[in-house]
Amino acid sequence: MSTTSGASAGGGCEGPPPVLRALKPKLRRCISGLAAVGRGGAGPSVCRMSDRDLQQKIEHEIKMREGTTKLLAASKHPTQLLEATRTLLCSNARIIAYMTELQRRKTLEVLGQSQSTEGNQLPCRAQLNVSDIRIPLMWKDTDHFKNKGDYRQYSVFCLLKVGTEIFDTSMINVDRSMTDITFEDVLLFQDVPHDFELKFEVYCHKLHEELSVANTPKKIRKKITDLSGSVGRSVGKRLSGLVRKEAYYDCCRGPRFELVAKGTLQLQDVDDSINHFEDCLSEGALPELPLFGHYCCRLAAVPDCLVKPVVSGFLSVQEDDDLSKWRRYWCVLKNLRLACWLSPTDIEVAQPLLTIPITKSTQISDADPSTCKRAHTFLIKTVSLLGVSEHTLAADSKEEVNKWWDGFQQHLLDQEPDSVSDSIVNDLKVDDAHLSQMLTTLMGEASQIRGGSSRHGSTS
């Protein structure tokens, strides 16, 4: 298997074999299907997959690469060539990512280091969404405003990587009439760790514009067409080929995409609005592509603790009016609160009967033995604008207490990254009014600590 470097990709062939000529009527549909599969990403987090699963993914991408190479060999239409080459580049990138992950695991195994995180609590994983990607261009005055100079055209797409999960955007043809490149793709990364690095790469292929139909005067094109019919079959084919779209590409190797710019996004770049980031021009980048040096996108994240239960089970809650009475609830820890129902079946059909906020100002401790004689009890204490709220709860066994204790500690740890305290909390829609006011207070306190102003979102 031959692979190409991350900076460029291209197919290698000496023309389609006879058996592939019959495939030509179906090439557009096949390549479109391959491109759609290519944009599907790498699926679930590879870090949680076994070595066998990784090997199967590598085998799948190798088959994808072999099929794409055959399609590239048989393709003649410019769009088919570009789509096949992009799919080939993405397959190569995924193969390299999977093999790198396997090599990392083997190295840890040889060194005797375990990659298990059991016993070490880390912030929860999240879904990461990238949208509204835009790359500004900086054309020369003569190119954009005066419409002079060479009519340069490019095919551009982006590749986004988080670990071994890789997505590509749609491909856009760019000319001097465009002031920026806008991608309407919405890319979703699953199971992303809190310390992620999203690598943003821009790939470009220059279309040979010197002899293009758009840039060739009508008289010259007519003369070339007339000459092609009078100078002999051999020379005539070469002349007539100058005005065909096939002249854009090297028929032996196919088009090549070059890595022209790259950037990196991290947790601190997560926001609820579109921001601009600096990119770094790649060495050997095409000087003709007038990149401005920045790119814009919206990077949003939703931690799993806001949409998935951290822990659930039965707990008994001490009544406020009578400390000797306890009421049994089915409790779910999720979305910065402990929601309580009478039974698990009520979750889908009714609002929680009791909601206890679990935020950064919450303290979990053992219950006071002077006021609570029951075993396996603990106290939840939260400070808010309305004052101090306290709830005493009891589990059925010591194992259940340890399970809930670990769950509460994990939920508090999940709120440490900025993505929970700032932009994501702004978008939360919860029903409890007390929790809404408490979140507003916490965001104001965090803003005072940072010395800046916070953005207050409405929660209802």
Side-chain angles (χ1 to χ4, degrees):
M1 178 193 68
S2 61
T3 59
T4 58
S5 64
S8 62
C13 61
E14 296 180 357
V19 71
L20 292 176
R21 294 173 185 166
L23 297 176
K24 289 184 179 181
K26 301 180 180 179
L27 284 180
R28 182 185 298 274
R29 182 174 58 188
C30 293
I31 293 179
S32 299
L34 285 174
V37 172
R39 286 191 293 273
S45 174
V46 177
C47 294
R48 299 190 179 187
M49 293 183 179
S50 64
D51 292 352
R52 179 178 177 84
D53 293 333
L54 274 178
Q55 292 173 357
Q56 291 178 349
K57 282 188 167 294
I58 292 176
E59 293 176 359
H60 170 75
E61 293 298 335
I62 290 176
K63 293 179 181 179
M64 283 283 296
R65 187 184 187 281
E66 292 174 352
T68 305
T69 303
K70 294 178 181 179
L71 290 173
L72 184 62
S75 300
K76 291 301 181 183
H77 194 277
T79 303
Q80 296 173 348
L81 289 169
L82 290 172
E83 291 290 349
T85 303
R86 182 184 60 168
T87 303
L88 183 62
L89 189 150
C90 296
S91 294
N92 289 340
R94 293 191 181 103
I95 290 173
I96 293 173
Y98 295 149
M99 294 180 68
T100 301
E101 173 63 19
L102 273 179
Q103 182 64 34
R104 185 187 68 83
R105 295 184 180 184
K106 295 297 182 183
T107 302
L108 291 177
E109 183 179 349
V110 170
L111 295 178
Q113 300 177 4
S114 173
Q115 53 184 348
S116 174
T117 59
E118 185 176 356
N120 299 325
Q121 284 188 321
L122 297 174
C124 68
R125 293 175 175 259
Q127 294 181 354
L128 198 65
N129 180 279
V130 185
S131 62
D132 301 293
I133 302 174
R134 184 170 62 88
I135 303 176
L137 300 176
M138 186 173 58
W139 296 96
K140 293 182 180 180
D141 188 15
T142 56
D143 289 333
H144 181 69
F145 295 103
K146 298 182 179 180
N147 199 28
K148 295 181 179 179
D150 294 334
Y151 193 78
R152 292 172 287 174
Q153 291 184 333
Y154 306 91
S155 290
V156 181
F157 75 95
C158 300
L159 203 64
L160 291 86
K161 309 176 183 178
V162 177
T164 50
E165 197 169 9
I166 299 174
F167 288 91
D168 61 327
T169 66
S170 56
M171 188 163 48
I172 295 180
N173 291 334
V174 180
D175 56 36
R176 64 188 181 190
S177 65
M178 304 171 62
T179 58
D180 52 23
I181 310 173
T182 302
F183 299 92
E184 298 183 356
D185 304 81
V186 178
L187 308 179
L188 179 63
F189 295 88
Q190 301 281 356
D191 206 25
V192 178
H194 72 285
D195 57 348
F196 71 91
E197 281 194 356
L198 190 153
K199 297 182 179 180
F200 181 88
E201 299 178 347
V202 182
Y203 287 87
C204 173
H205 169 70
K206 181 181 179 182
L207 303 175
H208 292 208
E209 80 291 336
E210 291 83 4
L211 294 173
S212 66
V213 176
N215 195 43
T216 306
K218 293 183 179 180
K219 292 183 179 179
I220 297 179
R221 293 206 309 272
K222 184 176 184 302
K223 182 164 291 257
I224 290 177
T225 304
D226 294 340
L227 287 174
S228 63
S230 59
V231 296
R233 181 176 300 177
S234 175
V235 179
K237 286 184 178 180
R238 296 182 182 179
L239 290 176
S240 60
L242 295 178
V243 294
R244 292 200 307 264
K245 291 185 178 180
E246 285 81 350
Y248 289 139
Y249 307 98
D250 186 338
C251 295
C252 296
R253 295 180 299 173
R256 298 183 65 86
F257 283 93
E258 302 293 337
L259 175 61
V260 295
K262 55 186 177 181
T264 302
L265 300 177
Q266 296 177 329
L267 179 62
Q268 57 266 27
D269 299 317
V270 172
D271 201 349
D272 55 357
S273 60
I274 301 175
N275 291 321
H276 67 89
F277 309 95
E278 292 186 3
D279 58 16
C280 174
L281 295 180
S282 177
E283 295 183 2
L286 297 177
E288 297 92 344
L289 186 63
L291 296 176
F292 187 73
H294 292 79
Y295 63 96
C296 305
C297 70
R298 185 198 309 271
L299 182 63
V302 179
D304 290 344
C305 66
L306 300 185
V307 293
K308 299 179 181 178
V310 179
V311 62
S312 59
F314 280 105
L315 288 174
S316 298
V317 181
Q318 190 178 43
E319 299 289 346
D320 294 334
D321 53 351
D322 188 351
L323 298 182
S324 62
K325 293 184 179 180
W326 296 78
R327 191 172 187 181
R328 188 173 175 84
Y329 292 98
W330 175 263
C331 303
V332 177
L333 179 60
K334 183 184 71 172
N335 195 14
L336 309 183
R337 65 179 185 173
L338 180 67
C340 307
W341 292 268
L342 290 180
S343 67
T345 57
D346 294 339
I347 296 179
E348 301 296 334
V349 296
Q351 295 294 327
L353 301 178
L354 175 65
T355 301
I356 303 175
I358 307 295
T359 66
K360 289 182 178 180
S361 63
T362 299
Q363 295 180 353
I364 313 293
S365 61
D366 294 331
D368 187 356
S370 62
T371 59
C372 181
K373 303 299 182 180
R374 186 166 179 169
H376 314 307
T377 58
F378 55 92
L379 176 68
I380 300 178
K381 180 179 179 180
T382 304
V383 180
S384 67
L385 283 176
L386 303 178
V388 180
S389 63
E390 295 184 355
H391 295 83
T392 303
L393 299 91
D396 296 337
S397 63
K398 184 178 180 180
E399 292 74 15
E400 285 292 309
V401 171
N402 293 334
K403 180 186 74 172
W404 281 100
W405 185 270
D406 293 340
F408 285 124
Q409 295 299 323
Q410 179 65 52
H411 203 53
L412 294 175
L413 177 63
D414 293 341
Q415 301 178 43
E416 290 300 325
D418 294 338
S419 58
V420 178
S421 61
D422 268 336
S423 60
I424 296 179
V425 171
N426 287 340
D427 295 332
L428 289 179
K429 303 297 181 183
V430 294
D431 298 324
D432 186 60
H434 300 290
L435 177 59
S436 176
Q437 295 180 2
M438 184 184 317
L439 292 177
T440 304
T441 304
L442 291 174
M443 292 172 59
E445 293 174 353
S447 175
Q448 293 177 2
I449 294 175
R450 292 193 299 264
S453 60
S454 65
R455 300 181 306 274
H456 295 278
S458 60
T459 56
S460 58

